[in-house]
Amino acid sequence: MSMRTLPLVFINLGGEMLYILDQRLRAHNTSEDNSEKGVWSENDRKRVMNDIVGTMFSKAFMDELLKPQQLYSHRTMKTVLTRLAHASIMRLNPASMDRLYELMVMAFKYQVFLCLRPKDLLLISYNHMDTIREFVKDTPMAVNQVDETHRKIIEAYSSLSEGELQLLRQTLLTFFQDMHVRVSLFLKDQIQNPNGRFALTTSGPVPHGTDVPGLIRIFDCRGREVRRREFLSGGSYTSSIREGSFELHGNRVIRLGMNMYTVDHPEETHTSRAPSVKADGSPNPLAKEELNLLARLMGSMKTENKPKDESGFRINLFNTDKEEAEAGASASAEESLYGVINIQAMQFLVQDEQAASELARIAGQFEEEEEEEKPEKPSNNKGEELLAMMDGL
Amino acid sequence: MYHKEKSIQIKNSASALYNNLSVLRIAPRRLTHFTVVHANMVNMVSASWDGLNYTHRQLQSKEPNVATSTSLIMQAAFCVLPSRDLLVVTSQKGIQMYESDGSIMVYWHALDTPETPTAQAVFARGIAAVYENYICVGVSSGAILVFDVPSKGSNITLSEVLEEHKESITDMASECSGSQECIANLVTADDGGNLCVWKSGEEFQLLNKIPGFDMSCSSVKLWKGTAVAGYGTGQIRLYEAVTGILHAEINAHARWIYSVDIAPFSGLLLSAAEDSLVRVWHMTITPETNSVEVAHLHNECVTDTQICGARFCDGDGYAFAVTGYDLSEIIRYIQS
């Protein structure tokens, strides 16, 4: 499958994360039991946005993402996105992070599923980047980083054919497969059904480059049309609308990827699992390649100094702290127990010691299953040798 | 014309891949095998014709005797040869061939994967059994691997590599009318929409190239010398394979087509796309007079589903089956 998915995954998931965080930071801060210390000021909010955007769009991080590589598991994605969120002064506990991740993924799944044609994936990404630029418009350095990333994305993806972009889209769809978390906002707007599946209408404009279905044309040997017949398409389609801009700035035309959340309705970010959803049954131990990727991505992110009083800037994606705690308890009960993989080895793959210990701490939150299969034969891969060597320490 | 029958439940949902359904009818045993790809495994279900027995099996894509992680599968398809039937599974790592009930793997071919990943993805996709004893498989580089298959046993060998396409192979098909008179017996399609027409033999012969105008052809069939191709634009085109003459063009779907299939005895054509619609058409092709006629017969809508596989279950087109992304069932329709 496609080796170019990571940059788009992070820009779009990261973008959705920023939309949700922005909404939560702006919403009224009176929690029911007054447990959230401190109220978010306008400056605090901008600072959070700048910190996250600065880390996400940093040259080092983006260059890592742009290297051709496979799309790995949700576990890896969630770990890196948690780290990104914590690049700011804001703190999310695991239950809130889980909910945030579900929201982000369902929003992106919706956009990928419903986009009219594969090339629109780029317009969706550009919509996210345009809004992110708006969030940090008062900080020229952050704007520059977004612009620079945008230019790199344009350079990397503009030359891809529709077929290659469809392969990318199919890779993303495999990543989202079987996720049917219900999101209040989507249910309210009827873009999602109560069973968690998205609504796909047989009406509306056809994609750019497609003709409205309904016509059969017959030609003779010399290429002249000799007969045409119409048929009932069973839908009510209209001609395609004009194409959006693929430049650094411009009207993207399509609305997928724009900020759907509004300040006044924080309940929009509520999620619930569809009744028939199965927990991810097959355990997915982080493969060596994934660990390597994780280490490289973590290493390329600057670590911020954590505030002394951690709980002062906590953000909660639930209504009350009690709800959040309850959600956390039930989630950890669901997760199967795994053995612990020796993660000290990672210190040697990551140059920055602080980043390494951060990595160890976050990765330690996910306990991995030990390899049940026969131990792999020692390979010639230097990275693997190093890991194996370090594991023995 | 058709009505919905009882669906067959499968163990996982279908992945969003072109031509993600293969059907093999085994008349002597009164059962039909279905295969649907889910990420790194193939779900196989064998349904008895009386509707009472369903046997499930799952095959994973992995090299024999190697305990490494499995890779994502691109396609699984039954190949019917005069002497035997095989199930071919193509993935990012290579090509596996199984006995048609999925019980034993008889052959493994590893793809050349570079040491460090390149931006160009590596995978195999596009499978066809070709007269008389060949199985052809496409690769992401555009190459087509031709395997020589003995009438029994596992002594399958790579006979030839055809390098004509410059873009990733999407699908391929052999002449399905059963007529030995057709000059061309294989058509191959790529991501740029280009079609190559071949004659099989010890050395495959390229008979024609039909350009694609940069619109990906995701599914293709060959019947009575006519290549029927489904495109990402939602169009279906009927070309006379050997000459490249365009006989018919249908604005068939509002989204990317994922599957086309033909019932060779009746000339029925099935098309399915991401727009959630399956359409049934009828083709009349008279090679002697070079005349082609296409009529639209029927639509079925699979609500809120992007369809990824659609196949007739028999040569007359009496029944057809459909799979969709994120759907854990094979939906069946039979003629009323």
Side-chain angles (χ1 to χ4, degrees), chain A residues 47-199:
Chain A
R47 195 179 146 192
V48 168
M49 287 295 156
N50 284 327
D51 286 346
I52 297 177
V53 172
T55 308
M56 201 168 105
F57 287 84
S58 72
K59 185 174 182 323
F61 189 65
M62 269 302 151
D63 283 347
E64 273 303 325
L65 293 180
L66 282 161
K67 291 183 185 162
Q69 59 205 310
Q70 249 178 236
L71 178 58
Y72 290 114
S73 63
H74 283 285
R75 193 161 290 170
T76 305
M77 290 307 131
K78 199 193 282 195
T79 306
V80 183
L81 285 157
T82 306
R83 185 68 185 78
L84 274 175
H86 290 173
S88 68
I89 52 173
M90 187 189 61
R91 287 295 167 270
L92 284 153
N93 80 12
S96 274
M97 189 62 218
D98 283 350
R99 173 170 275 191
L100 177 58
Y101 187 74
E102 282 176 348
L103 272 170
M104 285 154 48
V105 172
M106 288 310 290
F108 191 29
K109 180 175 183 176
Y110 162 66
Q111 290 150 11
V112 173
F113 184 72
L114 272 144
C115 68
L116 295 185
R117 52 166 193 169
K119 205 170 174 192
D120 287 356
L121 272 179
L122 299 180
L123 293 174
I124 292 169
S125 310
Y126 300 165
N127 266 334
H128 280 109
M129 284 198 273
D130 290 343
T131 312
I132 291 170
R133 218 183 258 111
E134 266 300 302
F135 283 149
V136 297
K137 65 177 187 251
D138 296 333
T139 314
M141 198 173 88
V143 173
N144 270 341
Q145 280 179 299
V146 179
D147 282 348
E148 214 18 69
T149 302
H150 200 150
R151 274 184 216 109
K152 284 188 188 152
I153 298 291
I154 291 173
E155 197 191 308
Y157 292 91
S158 297
S159 57
L160 293 188
S161 66
E162 278 278 12
E164 285 171 298
L165 286 165
Q166 179 66 292
L167 182 72
L168 205 159
R169 183 172 171 273
Q170 290 174 339
T171 310
L172 293 174
L173 287 174
T174 303
F175 185 65
F176 301 136
Q177 203 153 344
D178 302 321
M179 289 190 71
H180 302 295
V181 179
R182 292 171 304 184
V183 179
S184 315
L185 174 61
F186 298 169
L187 293 172
K188 184 180 88 175
D189 290 348
Q190 296 186 313
I191 61 183
Q192 190 179 29
N193 296 324
N195 63 5
R197 291 166 190 270
F198 295 119

Side-chain angles (χ1 to χ4, degrees), chain B residues 137-159:
Chain B
V137 179
V139 183
S140 45
S141 61
I144 295 164
L145 308 176
V146 181
F147 295 95
D148 199 309
V149 182
S151 55
K152 57 178 188 251
S154 53
N155 189 20
I156 295 166
T157 54
L158 178 63
S159 137

Side-chain angles (χ1 to χ4, degrees), chain A residues 19-20 34 38 61 112 119 196 201 210 279 297 302 308 351 379 381 390:
Chain A
Y19 293 172
I20 297 162
N34 282 322
F61 189 65
V112 173
K119 205 170 174 192
T201 57
T210 294
L297 289 178
K302 289 195 329 270
K308 292 216 167 66
Q351 277 162 351
S379 74
N381 186 316
M390 296 309 138

Side-chain angles (χ1 to χ4, degrees), chain B residues 10-334:
Chain B
I10 43 179
K11 298 290 183 194
N12 329 83
S13 56
S15 288
L17 297 162
Y18 305 142
N19 307 299
N20 192 5
L21 173 65
S22 189
V23 180
L24 182 67
R25 195 165 182 268
I26 305 186
R29 291 170 58 196
R30 301 186 63 77
L31 56 79
T32 302
H33 293 317
F34 298 85
T35 58
V36 182
V37 176
H38 169 91
N40 61 347
M41 64 177 85
V42 179
N43 286 303
M44 189 160 150
V45 67
S46 307
S48 62
W49 289 2
D50 58 15
L52 297 177
N53 282 311
Y54 296 98
T55 329
H56 296 263
R57 180 171 241 146
Q58 287 183 315
L59 306 169
Q60 282 208 319
S61 71
K62 48 191 273 193
E63 295 171 76
N65 308 317
V66 181
T68 49
S69 58
T70 60
S71 69
L72 291 171
I73 298 178
M74 303 300 290
Q75 193 178 5
F78 289 107
C79 287
V80 177
L81 292 166
S83 51
R84 70 200 290 195
D85 300 333
L86 290 175
L87 171 63
V88 179
V89 178
T90 58
S91 68
Q92 293 174 280
K93 291 228 168 99
I95 300 158
Q96 293 163 287
M97 298 194 194
Y98 290 86
E99 294 295 355
S100 60
D101 62 358
S103 56
I104 315 163
M105 182 161 78
V106 296
Y107 184 67
W108 160 260
H109 175 94
L111 290 177
D112 296 324
T113 30
E115 274 275 322
T116 43
T118 56
Q120 159 82 351
V122 176
F123 56 83
R125 178 176 62 185
I127 303 166
V130 190
Y131 185 83
E132 192 176 0
N133 48 8
Y134 300 105
I135 288 181
C136 296
V137 179
V139 183
S140 45
S141 61
I144 295 164
L145 308 176
V146 181
F147 295 95
D148 199 309
V149 182
S151 55
K152 57 178 188 251
S154 53
N155 189 20
I156 295 166
T157 54
L158 178 63
S159 137
E160 211 185 338
V161 179
L162 308 172
E163 276 164 347
E164 201 57 51
H165 288 276
K166 302 286 174 281
E167 296 177 70
S168 298
I169 303 295
T170 46
D171 193 25
M172 55 177 73
S174 56
E175 172 61 62
C176 60
S177 65
S179 159
Q180 306 291 352
E181 287 163 19
C182 295
I183 315 164
N185 51 14
L186 176 69
V187 65
T188 55
D190 70 26
D191 247 351
N194 305 301
L195 303 176
C196 284
V197 182
W198 310 82
K199 178 176 165 57
S200 66
E202 262 189 47
E203 271 181 29
F204 273 53
Q205 203 188 331
L206 177 71
L207 299 177
N208 193 15
K209 269 180 100 149
I210 304 171
F213 311 110
D214 281 332
M215 182 26 75
S216 186
C217 170
S218 38
S219 193
V220 71
K221 287 286 174 297
L222 184 61
W223 184 65
K224 291 191 176 178
T226 302
V228 180
Y231 295 86
T233 48
Q235 258 194 356
I236 298 173
R237 289 191 217 132
L238 277 71
Y239 287 100
E240 188 176 281
V242 173
T243 59
I245 293 172
L246 176 67
H247 279 304
E249 188 176 83
I250 314 172
N251 294 339
H253 288 276
R255 300 280 188 281
W256 205 284
I257 292 177
Y258 265 57
S259 196
V260 297
D261 196 27
I262 296 177
F265 306 152
S266 58
L268 288 178
L269 167 67
L270 191 66
S271 68
E274 282 179 351
D275 60 4
S276 74
L277 289 157
V278 188
R279 303 193 194 277
V280 185
W281 320 78
H282 184 254
M283 302 180 293
T284 313
I285 296 176
T286 324
E288 296 79 24
T289 56
N290 265 328
S291 77
V292 168
E293 186 53 69
V294 183
H296 173 254
L297 296 183
H298 184 74
N299 295 326
E300 283 291 342
C301 178
V302 185
T303 317
D304 299 335
T305 304
Q306 293 189 346
I307 301 171
C308 51
R311 292 254 186 216
F312 284 116
C313 298
D314 57 271
D316 290 295
Y318 177 69
F320 65 87
V322 169
T323 56
Y325 167 65
D326 252 356
L327 220 57
S328 302
E329 56 184 300
I330 300 171
I331 307 173
R332 290 186 296 176
Y333 301 86
I334 58 170

Side-chain angles (χ1 to χ4, degrees), chain A residues 75 280-284 335-340 367-370:
Chain A
R75 193 161 290 170
D280 186 346
S282 49
N284 177 19
E335 265 179 12
S336 355
L337 295 168
Y338 297 117
V340 177
E367 293 166 294
E368 312 307 333
E369 180 179 66
E370 292 201 318

